[in-house]
Amino acid sequence: MKPSSYEKRVKRRIIGRDHSFFVSCSPGLKQVCLNEMQGQTSNLSSFPEDNISVIQGGIEFIGKLNSCVLLNLNLRSPSKILMRISSFKADSFKKLEKKINAIDWILYLPKNCHLKFNVTARKSRLYHSDAIAQRCEKIILDQIRSGSGFDGIPGKISTQTIYVRVEDDNFTVSLDSTGELLFKRGLKQKVTQAPLRENLAFAMLFWAGFSKEDILIDPMCGSGTFSLEAAMIQSSIPPGFFRSFAFENWPGFSPKAYSHTKKQAQKNFTHCSAKQIFASDIDEMALTAMEQNVSHSRLNHVIDVSKTDFFTLLPSMISPEKKGVIMLNPPYGKRLGEKSDTRSFYREIGKKLTADFKGWRFGIILPSGEYKSSLGLKLELKPIYHGGLDIFAGIGII
């Protein structure tokens, strides 16, 4: 069956052409993301390193739509990937409507989609974000629901998010290729209170030099973010393998090609002969959540889960000869109580690490840089952002 004229347009203008993309990163993770992307270039023939540039808030790159698909599937540290659609100047709603209408939206969006808008405007004549979104939405929906186009997946209404950034009357319009933030791996069925995000867990493992050959001890595991992330790394499972993405509902997306890509990735999954990740906690609810998450993700062969108090844990019982990595996300703030209690708790953690984990690499979450002295360990502080708070990751060797 011959492709229609519409399908030819999609192939020529969306699939075949280079586009500009923006990889959004959490504060503190931009360099980690850059290293990840540069590590991916060997797998992306149409994605040369000189097409990557670091800018405010993330990383921009030039590449094919397929590069965007593969990076969504394989990157662990960023928040999302936006596809740049258009840039223009507009200082009135009439000019804005004309520019938005000039974009061939039927090449980017399915007919059966629900639109969301994320609009920010600074130092511009058009500053009312709701009014900008309303004007754009009407024009885009009128376009994609009339005439030829991509009907979308039958029976499924996808949510597509359009980002509009306005500064000094200059508009940048982008389409979110990711959907739910990339830290959502599709593994966790249960979470504990204030769980660590997977992209932050990966960054800390990366900073500590964690590798597939390493032993990991996660003694305050909660719902298991460090352990699950490390298990995916050791098993060579792409971070996006178990989830869906917004791009899967785009006219330019090829389900057949993507299915082939995932099957090839699955062939590279590795099965560890012995458990190398040891997760523990003293909280029964946390352990229940952790066990459910491990069972659901079928990573039982990689992760050992036990009820153990960190302060009684001896690494020699887990790994008598080999030193590895220990990651800690201690309770702090409202979970622990007064500031003096938090300082005392970190002091005891430092004593335990010094006494029993000499030579181990470690990472620890600190609610403030002032708790570094309480630990009494030599470590590098990495500022990160989590749960609306500016906190720190402490990385070092004991």
Side-chain angles (χ1 to χ4, degrees):
M1 185 174 168
K2 286 187 176 181
S4 66
S5 59
Y6 167 75
E7 289 169 333
K8 288 178 181 178
R9 285 167 64 203
V10 170
K11 184 175 182 180
R12 184 175 67 252
R13 293 176 53 186
I14 305 299
I15 300 170
R17 287 185 184 177
D18 281 341
H19 303 275
S20 176
F21 297 90
F22 175 68
V23 183
S24 172
C25 302
S26 294
L29 301 193
K30 205 185 294 185
Q31 187 60 47
V32 177
C33 183
L34 181 62
N35 288 349
E36 269 202 284
M37 291 179 69
Q38 289 172 337
Q40 291 289 322
T41 53
S42 60
N43 300 320
L44 299 170
S45 58
S46 61
F47 184 49
E49 280 194 45
D50 57 7
N51 281 355
I52 307 174
S53 55
V54 178
I55 63 172
Q56 184 178 355
I59 298 165
E60 214 165 44
F61 74 90
I62 306 296
K64 298 283 194 296
L65 178 59
N66 188 52
S67 297
C68 170
V69 168
L70 292 174
L71 291 177
N72 269 295
L73 178 65
N74 288 295
L75 292 182
R76 298 181 182 276
S77 59
S79 300
K80 58 174 57 253
I81 302 177
L82 305 181
M83 181 179 182
R84 301 297 197 203
I85 304 298
S86 182
S87 298
F88 53 83
K89 193 174 184 72
D91 55 11
S92 68
F93 281 115
K94 185 177 180 181
K95 289 180 181 177
L96 170 64
E97 290 167 355
K98 185 177 179 181
K99 292 290 187 180
I100 292 295
N101 197 44
I103 299 168
D104 212 345
W105 288 103
I106 63 170
L107 303 182
Y108 296 95
L109 296 168
K111 290 182 179 181
N112 63 343
C113 69
H114 168 69
L115 293 183
K116 285 176 63 178
F117 286 83
N118 186 309
V119 182
T120 57
R122 293 177 66 251
K123 302 177 183 177
S124 299
R125 294 189 184 184
L126 301 181
Y127 59 86
H128 196 295
S129 57
D130 287 343
I132 292 171
Q134 287 166 9
R135 297 297 207 287
C136 293
E137 182 175 28
K138 184 180 185 307
I139 291 168
I140 295 169
L141 288 178
D142 284 348
Q143 258 203 45
I144 63 176
R145 290 176 181 172
S146 63
S148 62
F150 176 55
D151 291 328
I153 300 171
K156 182 179 179 181
I157 297 176
S158 69
T159 296
Q160 299 290 332
T161 304
I162 295 170
Y163 281 72
V164 181
R165 296 289 178 263
V166 197
E167 187 160 0
D168 296 324
D169 299 328
N170 292 302
F171 281 71
T172 301
V173 181
S174 307
L175 183 58
D176 176 16
S177 72
T178 303
E180 286 195 301
L181 292 172
L182 280 171
F183 79 85
K184 296 191 176 182
R185 309 290 198 230
L187 285 182
K188 286 183 179 175
Q189 297 297 292
K190 298 279 185 179
V191 295
T192 52
Q193 185 181 5
L196 186 69
R197 287 187 170 186
E198 282 74 359
N199 59 337
L200 296 179
F202 169 72
M204 290 179 66
L205 289 165
F206 173 83
W207 287 325
F210 178 77
S211 72
K212 292 181 179 182
E213 291 73 38
D214 273 320
I215 297 288
L216 174 72
I217 295 180
D218 180 11
M220 299 178 185
C221 66
S223 53
T225 307
F226 281 125
S227 293
L228 290 167
E229 194 66 17
M232 291 185 80
I233 292 169
Q234 288 194 337
S235 302
S236 301
I237 301 173
F241 191 84
F242 297 110
R243 57 163 289 169
S244 59
F245 297 95
F247 64 70
E248 292 178 44
N249 295 280
W250 290 3
F253 173 70
S254 169
K256 185 177 179 181
Y258 189 55
S259 176
H260 175 72
T261 296
K262 291 184 74 173
K263 283 178 182 176
Q264 291 301 113
Q266 198 163 7
K267 288 179 181 178
N268 294 323
F269 287 5
T270 55
H271 187 89
C272 301
S273 57
K275 292 181 179 180
Q276 297 191 121
I277 298 168
F278 299 87
S280 56
D281 210 299
I282 55 172
D283 186 316
E284 292 282 4
M285 289 182 64
L287 287 170
T288 299
M290 176 61 179
E291 285 169 345
Q292 288 185 25
N293 291 333
V294 170
S295 177
H296 171 73
S297 58
R298 298 181 181 178
L299 292 169
N300 315 62
H301 64 287
V302 185
I303 304 173
D304 179 84
V305 183
S306 67
K307 184 177 181 180
T308 308
D309 186 337
F310 163 66
F311 294 102
T312 64
L313 178 68
L314 294 174
S316 58
M317 300 296 291
I318 294 171
S319 179
E321 299 176 1
K322 187 178 177 183
K323 300 184 189 302
V325 176
I326 179 168
M327 286 283 156
L328 299 107
N329 180 18
Y332 56 85
K334 290 181 180 179
R335 290 185 292 167
L336 196 61
E338 296 297 323
K339 194 174 184 179
S340 58
D341 296 332
T342 303
R343 186 175 284 109
S344 174
F345 187 51
Y346 274 82
R347 190 176 297 116
E348 292 304 311
I349 291 172
K351 288 179 181 177
K352 172 66 177 176
L353 291 173
T354 302
D356 295 327
F357 287 85
K358 188 171 179 61
W360 283 63
R361 287 163 283 149
F362 78 103
I364 185 168
I365 295 287
L366 296 96
S368 168
E370 66 185 82
Y371 295 111
K372 177 181 178 181
S373 59
S374 300
L375 281 169
L377 296 166
K378 186 177 180 181
L379 74 166
E380 180 183 359
L381 290 184
K382 303 271 191 181
I384 55 177
Y385 183 77
H386 180 59
L389 299 172
D390 292 310
I391 59 174
F392 292 87
I395 307 293
I397 301 176
I398 302 161

